[in-house]
Amino acid sequence: MTPTPDTTASAEESFLLGGELPVRRIGLGAMRLTDATGDGTQAGAHIWRAPADPSAAIALLRHAVDAGVQLIDTADAYALGQSEELIAQALHPYPAGVVIATKIGNLRPSPTEWVPLGHPGYLKQQAELSLRRLRVETIDLLQLHRLDPAYPIADQVGALAELREQGKVKHIGLSEVTVAQLEDARQVTPIAAVQNLYNLTARDHDPVIDHTAAAGIAFIPFFPLAIGEHTRAVGVVQQVATELGAPPGQVALAWLLHRAANVLPIPGTTDIAHLDQNLAAAGVRLTPEQYERIATAPSVDAA
């Protein structure tokens, strides 16, 4: 089924995260700020170590905030916590209006392994470590990185709810969940955001977008540009880009913004010029015909 666009969505510049935190709709994902390859290419990146020289990453983070980015997303699993430390090094004390989101619940026993662990005690411990690395007393948005099938959803989400009751977490989010799992979690505590894989060529979570939009929950698509593939788009995306005089990556991000007003893409980059290009996608307006043409194109044409 073709996703139906919200014709007013692209004109909305911000979204109230958790009903109270206004954030501009294009944020920054910090995953790529770790330099696993050591050569800056990100080829085969394992998200295992922070860059040996963090100056470029620090400059990019500071430029992002100066350029108006209000949502920065990271995780304790990115470079074993070094991503959180890098963000704090660059931005602490955090400017007013900047929302730092992080994730817990994934073990990293090696550079190639991501293992969900939802033991409530472990989740609480990792939240404490994130608080220290980010140098904050309260995490704006703490997300469960993955559900662990070994533990009931109520126990995993309940651990995060306890942290919120203690004032250590402001809002709670989930990642890679279905509508049913989201609703199970909402029986335990309010959920402010869902972060799932979604882009032009990965649309399995259309039902989750529609459900969260109706509930006023943010939908944060990770890999919104398919790890850069959509910046080199061909076919219909390139056609629309030519019509609009915009780069293909901007068209891909604009399509997500048109999808629904609760969609908050967090493209990652290590390049300031590319960051500025991503942010400019907020000003790209697709006609209903252009949106539909992209939405109904074969996936090979969208990438």
Side-chain angles (χ1 to χ4, degrees):
M1 179 182 297
T2 301
T4 302
D6 178 344
T7 55
T8 64
S10 64
E12 296 292 336
E13 294 185 357
S14 63
F15 180 83
L16 284 178
L17 185 64
E20 64 161 353
L21 297 177
V23 292
R24 291 189 179 89
R25 290 181 59 205
I26 297 181
L28 175 66
M31 185 178 190
R32 292 185 62 186
L33 294 181
T34 57
D35 186 10
T37 58
D39 61 5
T41 66
Q42 292 292 312
H46 292 145
I47 321 303
W48 186 244
R49 295 184 185 278
D53 180 0
S55 58
I58 289 171
L60 184 136
L61 284 161
R62 291 174 177 170
H63 179 87
V65 171
D66 289 343
V69 169
Q70 293 178 293
L71 175 61
I72 297 175
D73 179 85
T74 185
D76 72 343
Y78 298 167
L80 300 179
Q82 288 183 301
S83 175
E84 292 174 328
E85 293 173 348
L86 187 63
I87 288 170
Q89 184 180 354
L91 301 176
H92 188 272
Y94 301 104
V98 172
V99 172
I100 306 297
T102 193
K103 298 180 284 293
I104 57 174
N106 257 337
L107 289 172
R108 297 298 309 279
S110 78
T112 59
E113 294 178 278
W114 300 72
V115 183
L117 179 57
H119 187 293
Y122 172 75
L123 296 176
K124 294 175 187 177
Q125 171 187 286
Q126 294 311 105
E128 294 288 350
L129 291 172
S130 290
L131 285 164
R132 294 182 188 185
R133 288 188 292 254
L134 290 169
R135 307 181 204 171
V136 295
E137 295 183 357
T138 303
I139 295 171
D140 295 322
L141 175 63
L142 182 63
Q143 303 157 97
L144 187 57
H145 207 156
R146 291 293 184 273
L147 289 173
D148 181 351
Y151 297 90
I153 290 178
D155 291 353
Q156 298 176 69
V157 177
L160 274 61
E162 287 184 35
L163 291 165
R164 179 164 55 192
E165 291 168 3
Q166 295 166 4
K168 296 175 180 178
V169 172
K170 187 169 291 185
H171 294 291
I172 294 170
L174 304 172
S175 184
E176 279 298 272
V177 294
T178 64
V179 170
Q181 290 168 331
L182 168 59
E183 286 308 300
D184 285 346
R186 292 180 74 198
Q187 296 300 310
V188 179
T189 190
I191 301 297
V194 169
Q195 184 172 153
N196 286 4
L197 172 65
Y198 190 86
N199 55 53
L200 286 178
T201 51
R203 304 183 199 170
D204 291 344
H205 289 298
D206 276 321
V208 181
I209 291 183
D210 295 336
H211 190 81
T212 53
I217 296 171
F219 183 90
I220 304 174
F222 69 83
F223 293 160
L225 293 172
I227 322 182
E229 287 301 313
H230 293 163
T231 65
R232 301 180 291 275
V234 295
V236 66
V237 174
Q238 182 59 63
Q239 293 170 8
V240 173
T242 299
E243 293 166 11
L244 295 173
Q250 285 186 359
V251 172
L253 289 173
W255 189 92
L256 293 174
L257 296 176
H258 281 68
R259 175 64 180 84
N262 68 319
V263 175
L264 313 178
I266 49 168
T269 183
T270 59
D271 182 79
I272 286 178
H274 187 208
L275 168 66
D276 288 339
Q277 188 178 97
N278 288 341
L279 298 180
V284 175
R285 299 287 182 264
L286 304 179
T287 68
E289 185 276 333
Q290 288 169 332
Y291 175 92
E292 184 74 9
R293 206 183 335 149
I294 294 171
T296 56
S299 61
V300 67
D301 285 342

PDB file of all heavy atoms in Angstrom, residues 61-62 64-66 69-70 72 87-88 90-100 140:
ATOM      1  N   LEU A  61      29.729  18.767  15.442  1.00  0.00           N
ATOM      2  CA  LEU A  61      28.664  18.833  16.448  1.00  0.00           C
ATOM      3  C   LEU A  61      28.346  20.280  16.810  1.00  0.00           C
ATOM      4  O   LEU A  61      27.172  20.671  16.909  1.00  0.00           O
ATOM      5  CB  LEU A  61      29.086  18.057  17.690  1.00  0.00           C
ATOM      6  CG  LEU A  61      29.018  16.529  17.573  1.00  0.00           C
ATOM      7  CD1 LEU A  61      29.871  15.866  18.650  1.00  0.00           C
ATOM      8  CD2 LEU A  61      27.572  16.052  17.664  1.00  0.00           C
ATOM      9  N   ARG A  62      29.369  21.084  16.980  1.00  0.00           N
ATOM     10  CA  ARG A  62      29.134  22.494  17.326  1.00  0.00           C
ATOM     11  C   ARG A  62      28.494  23.249  16.163  1.00  0.00           C
ATOM     12  O   ARG A  62      27.598  24.079  16.374  1.00  0.00           O
ATOM     13  CB  ARG A  62      30.456  23.143  17.741  1.00  0.00           C
ATOM     14  CG  ARG A  62      30.972  22.609  19.077  1.00  0.00           C
ATOM     15  CD  ARG A  62      32.337  23.140  19.431  1.00  0.00           C
ATOM     16  NE  ARG A  62      32.763  22.661  20.750  1.00  0.00           N
ATOM     17  CZ  ARG A  62      33.982  22.804  21.251  1.00  0.00           C
ATOM     18  NH1 ARG A  62      34.927  23.424  20.531  1.00  0.00           N
ATOM     19  NH2 ARG A  62      34.275  22.337  22.446  1.00  0.00           N
ATOM     20  N   ALA A  64      26.537  21.895  13.949  1.00  0.00           N
ATOM     21  CA  ALA A  64      25.156  21.424  13.869  1.00  0.00           C
ATOM     22  C   ALA A  64      24.251  22.236  14.787  1.00  0.00           C
ATOM     23  O   ALA A  64      23.157  22.673  14.381  1.00  0.00           O
ATOM     24  CB  ALA A  64      25.092  19.937  14.227  1.00  0.00           C
ATOM     25  N   VAL A  65      24.684  22.446  16.012  1.00  0.00           N
ATOM     26  CA  VAL A  65      23.875  23.220  16.955  1.00  0.00           C
ATOM     27  C   VAL A  65      23.762  24.669  16.495  1.00  0.00           C
ATOM     28  O   VAL A  65      22.673  25.262  16.533  1.00  0.00           O
ATOM     29  CB  VAL A  65      24.485  23.126  18.366  1.00  0.00           C
ATOM     30  CG1 VAL A  65      23.800  24.106  19.322  1.00  0.00           C
ATOM     31  CG2 VAL A  65      24.355  21.693  18.896  1.00  0.00           C
ATOM     32  N   ASP A  66      24.861  25.240  16.016  1.00  0.00           N
ATOM     33  CA  ASP A  66      24.813  26.617  15.509  1.00  0.00           C
ATOM     34  C   ASP A  66      23.867  26.729  14.311  1.00  0.00           C
ATOM     35  O   ASP A  66      23.241  27.779  14.100  1.00  0.00           O
ATOM     36  CB  ASP A  66      26.208  27.080  15.091  1.00  0.00           C
ATOM     37  CG  ASP A  66      27.135  27.306  16.277  1.00  0.00           C
ATOM     38  OD1 ASP A  66      26.629  27.428  17.410  1.00  0.00           O
ATOM     39  OD2 ASP A  66      28.365  27.350  16.070  1.00  0.00           O
ATOM     40  N   VAL A  69      20.254  22.546  14.664  1.00  0.00           N
ATOM     41  CA  VAL A  69      19.896  21.175  15.053  1.00  0.00           C
ATOM     42  C   VAL A  69      19.555  21.158  16.542  1.00  0.00           C
ATOM     43  O   VAL A  69      20.302  21.684  17.369  1.00  0.00           O
ATOM     44  CB  VAL A  69      21.049  20.193  14.758  1.00  0.00           C
ATOM     45  CG1 VAL A  69      20.782  18.836  15.404  1.00  0.00           C
ATOM     46  CG2 VAL A  69      21.222  20.034  13.261  1.00  0.00           C
ATOM     47  N   GLN A  70      18.421  20.534  16.860  1.00  0.00           N
ATOM     48  CA  GLN A  70      18.000  20.466  18.258  1.00  0.00           C
ATOM     49  C   GLN A  70      17.940  19.037  18.793  1.00  0.00           C
ATOM     50  O   GLN A  70      17.855  18.848  20.003  1.00  0.00           O
ATOM     51  CB  GLN A  70      16.624  21.128  18.420  1.00  0.00           C
ATOM     52  CG  GLN A  70      16.649  22.629  18.187  1.00  0.00           C
ATOM     53  CD  GLN A  70      15.267  23.229  18.316  1.00  0.00           C
ATOM     54  OE1 GLN A  70      14.390  22.966  17.510  1.00  0.00           O
ATOM     55  NE2 GLN A  70      15.071  24.047  19.343  1.00  0.00           N
ATOM     56  N   ILE A  72      19.948  15.477  18.855  1.00  0.00           N
ATOM     57  CA  ILE A  72      21.166  14.716  18.573  1.00  0.00           C
ATOM     58  C   ILE A  72      21.005  13.341  19.190  1.00  0.00           C
ATOM     59  O   ILE A  72      20.721  13.208  20.386  1.00  0.00           O
ATOM     60  CB  ILE A  72      22.407  15.430  19.131  1.00  0.00           C
ATOM     61  CG1 ILE A  72      22.565  16.792  18.430  1.00  0.00           C
ATOM     62  CG2 ILE A  72      23.656  14.577  18.942  1.00  0.00           C
ATOM     63  CD1 ILE A  72      23.692  17.634  18.987  1.00  0.00           C
ATOM     64  N   ILE A  87      30.143  13.795  22.469  1.00  0.00           N
ATOM     65  CA  ILE A  87      29.072  14.800  22.448  1.00  0.00           C
ATOM     66  C   ILE A  87      29.210  15.743  23.637  1.00  0.00           C
ATOM     67  O   ILE A  87      29.086  16.968  23.501  1.00  0.00           O
ATOM     68  CB  ILE A  87      27.697  14.104  22.434  1.00  0.00           C
ATOM     69  CG1 ILE A  87      27.464  13.458  21.067  1.00  0.00           C
ATOM     70  CG2 ILE A  87      26.571  15.088  22.761  1.00  0.00           C
ATOM     71  CD1 ILE A  87      26.257  12.545  21.011  1.00  0.00           C
ATOM     72  N   ALA A  88      29.497  15.187  24.804  1.00  0.00           N
ATOM     73  CA  ALA A  88      29.670  16.032  25.979  1.00  0.00           C
ATOM     74  C   ALA A  88      30.891  16.939  25.829  1.00  0.00           C
ATOM     75  O   ALA A  88      30.859  18.128  26.187  1.00  0.00           O
ATOM     76  CB  ALA A  88      29.813  15.168  27.226  1.00  0.00           C
ATOM     77  N   ALA A  90      32.066  18.148  23.143  1.00  0.00           N
ATOM     78  CA  ALA A  90      31.781  19.191  22.162  1.00  0.00           C
ATOM     79  C   ALA A  90      30.768  20.209  22.656  1.00  0.00           C
ATOM     80  O   ALA A  90      30.909  21.412  22.359  1.00  0.00           O
ATOM     81  CB  ALA A  90      31.274  18.565  20.867  1.00  0.00           C
ATOM     82  N   LEU A  91      29.764  19.765  23.405  1.00  0.00           N
ATOM     83  CA  LEU A  91      28.599  20.614  23.624  1.00  0.00           C
ATOM     84  C   LEU A  91      28.285  20.961  25.072  1.00  0.00           C
ATOM     85  O   LEU A  91      27.494  21.868  25.325  1.00  0.00           O
ATOM     86  CB  LEU A  91      27.358  19.952  22.999  1.00  0.00           C
ATOM     87  CG  LEU A  91      27.424  19.677  21.499  1.00  0.00           C
ATOM     88  CD1 LEU A  91      26.169  18.943  21.052  1.00  0.00           C
ATOM     89  CD2 LEU A  91      27.600  20.970  20.718  1.00  0.00           C
ATOM     90  N   HIS A  92      28.852  20.244  26.028  1.00  0.00           N
ATOM     91  CA  HIS A  92      28.529  20.534  27.418  1.00  0.00           C
ATOM     92  C   HIS A  92      29.242  21.805  27.887  1.00  0.00           C
ATOM     93  O   HIS A  92      30.429  21.970  27.584  1.00  0.00           O
ATOM     94  CB  HIS A  92      28.932  19.355  28.308  1.00  0.00           C
ATOM     95  CG  HIS A  92      28.451  19.493  29.729  1.00  0.00           C
ATOM     96  ND1 HIS A  92      29.197  20.151  30.696  1.00  0.00           N
ATOM     97  CD2 HIS A  92      27.315  19.089  30.329  1.00  0.00           C
ATOM     98  CE1 HIS A  92      28.528  20.125  31.831  1.00  0.00           C
ATOM     99  NE2 HIS A  92      27.386  19.483  31.644  1.00  0.00           N
ATOM    100  N   PRO A  93      28.503  22.682  28.585  1.00  0.00           N
ATOM    101  CA  PRO A  93      27.092  22.630  28.967  1.00  0.00           C
ATOM    102  C   PRO A  93      26.189  22.851  27.758  1.00  0.00           C
ATOM    103  O   PRO A  93      26.441  23.759  26.958  1.00  0.00           O
ATOM    104  CB  PRO A  93      26.955  23.754  29.991  1.00  0.00           C
ATOM    105  CG  PRO A  93      28.051  24.717  29.635  1.00  0.00           C
ATOM    106  CD  PRO A  93      29.189  23.877  29.125  1.00  0.00           C
ATOM    107  N   TYR A  94      25.170  22.035  27.646  1.00  0.00           N
ATOM    108  CA  TYR A  94      24.354  22.012  26.442  1.00  0.00           C
ATOM    109  C   TYR A  94      23.534  23.289  26.288  1.00  0.00           C
ATOM    110  O   TYR A  94      22.910  23.751  27.250  1.00  0.00           O
ATOM    111  CB  TYR A  94      23.424  20.798  26.462  1.00  0.00           C
ATOM    112  CG  TYR A  94      24.193  19.499  26.560  1.00  0.00           C
ATOM    113  CD1 TYR A  94      24.271  18.795  27.756  1.00  0.00           C
ATOM    114  CD2 TYR A  94      24.873  18.989  25.458  1.00  0.00           C
ATOM    115  CE1 TYR A  94      25.000  17.622  27.864  1.00  0.00           C
ATOM    116  CE2 TYR A  94      25.611  17.814  25.551  1.00  0.00           C
ATOM    117  CZ  TYR A  94      25.667  17.144  26.753  1.00  0.00           C
ATOM    118  OH  TYR A  94      26.404  15.985  26.854  1.00  0.00           O
ATOM    119  N   PRO A  95      23.526  23.870  25.085  1.00  0.00           N
ATOM    120  CA  PRO A  95      22.724  25.070  24.850  1.00  0.00           C
ATOM    121  C   PRO A  95      21.236  24.799  25.083  1.00  0.00           C
ATOM    122  O   PRO A  95      20.750  23.682  24.901  1.00  0.00           O
ATOM    123  CB  PRO A  95      23.001  25.392  23.374  1.00  0.00           C
ATOM    124  CG  PRO A  95      24.295  24.712  23.060  1.00  0.00           C
ATOM    125  CD  PRO A  95      24.301  23.472  23.893  1.00  0.00           C
ATOM    126  N   ALA A  96      20.525  25.807  25.493  1.00  0.00           N
ATOM    127  CA  ALA A  96      19.084  25.683  25.702  1.00  0.00           C
ATOM    128  C   ALA A  96      18.411  25.216  24.425  1.00  0.00           C
ATOM    129  O   ALA A  96      18.734  25.684  23.333  1.00  0.00           O
ATOM    130  CB  ALA A  96      18.507  27.026  26.146  1.00  0.00           C
ATOM    131  N   GLY A  97      17.503  24.287  24.566  1.00  0.00           N
ATOM    132  CA  GLY A  97      16.742  23.801  23.423  1.00  0.00           C
ATOM    133  C   GLY A  97      17.340  22.602  22.736  1.00  0.00           C
ATOM    134  O   GLY A  97      16.707  22.024  21.851  1.00  0.00           O
ATOM    135  N   VAL A  98      18.561  22.202  23.097  1.00  0.00           N
ATOM    136  CA  VAL A  98      19.188  21.023  22.491  1.00  0.00           C
ATOM    137  C   VAL A  98      18.776  19.788  23.275  1.00  0.00           C
ATOM    138  O   VAL A  98      18.929  19.736  24.504  1.00  0.00           O
ATOM    139  CB  VAL A  98      20.720  21.156  22.466  1.00  0.00           C
ATOM    140  CG1 VAL A  98      21.368  19.855  22.009  1.00  0.00           C
ATOM    141  CG2 VAL A  98      21.122  22.299  21.539  1.00  0.00           C
ATOM    142  N   VAL A  99      18.248  18.797  22.563  1.00  0.00           N
ATOM    143  CA  VAL A  99      17.798  17.549  23.163  1.00  0.00           C
ATOM    144  C   VAL A  99      18.787  16.445  22.808  1.00  0.00           C
ATOM    145  O   VAL A  99      19.040  16.187  21.633  1.00  0.00           O
ATOM    146  CB  VAL A  99      16.384  17.179  22.653  1.00  0.00           C
ATOM    147  CG1 VAL A  99      15.982  15.783  23.111  1.00  0.00           C
ATOM    148  CG2 VAL A  99      15.365  18.209  23.124  1.00  0.00           C
ATOM    149  N   ILE A 100      19.351  15.817  23.820  1.00  0.00           N
ATOM    150  CA  ILE A 100      20.272  14.703  23.609  1.00  0.00           C
ATOM    151  C   ILE A 100      19.522  13.410  23.882  1.00  0.00           C
ATOM    152  O   ILE A 100      18.998  13.195  24.979  1.00  0.00           O
ATOM    153  CB  ILE A 100      21.507  14.795  24.521  1.00  0.00           C
ATOM    154  CG1 ILE A 100      22.198  16.155  24.372  1.00  0.00           C
ATOM    155  CG2 ILE A 100      22.464  13.646  24.223  1.00  0.00           C
ATOM    156  CD1 ILE A 100      22.753  16.431  22.992  1.00  0.00           C
ATOM    157  N   ASP A 140      17.379  13.485  28.329  1.00  0.00           N
ATOM    158  CA  ASP A 140      16.161  13.998  27.686  1.00  0.00           C
ATOM    159  C   ASP A 140      15.307  12.872  27.109  1.00  0.00           C
ATOM    160  O   ASP A 140      14.090  12.837  27.313  1.00  0.00           O
ATOM    161  CB  ASP A 140      16.523  14.979  26.561  1.00  0.00           C
ATOM    162  CG  ASP A 140      17.203  16.230  27.075  1.00  0.00           C
ATOM    163  OD1 ASP A 140      16.819  16.721  28.151  1.00  0.00           O
ATOM    164  OD2 ASP A 140      18.126  16.721  26.401  1.00  0.00           O
TER     165      ASP A 140
END
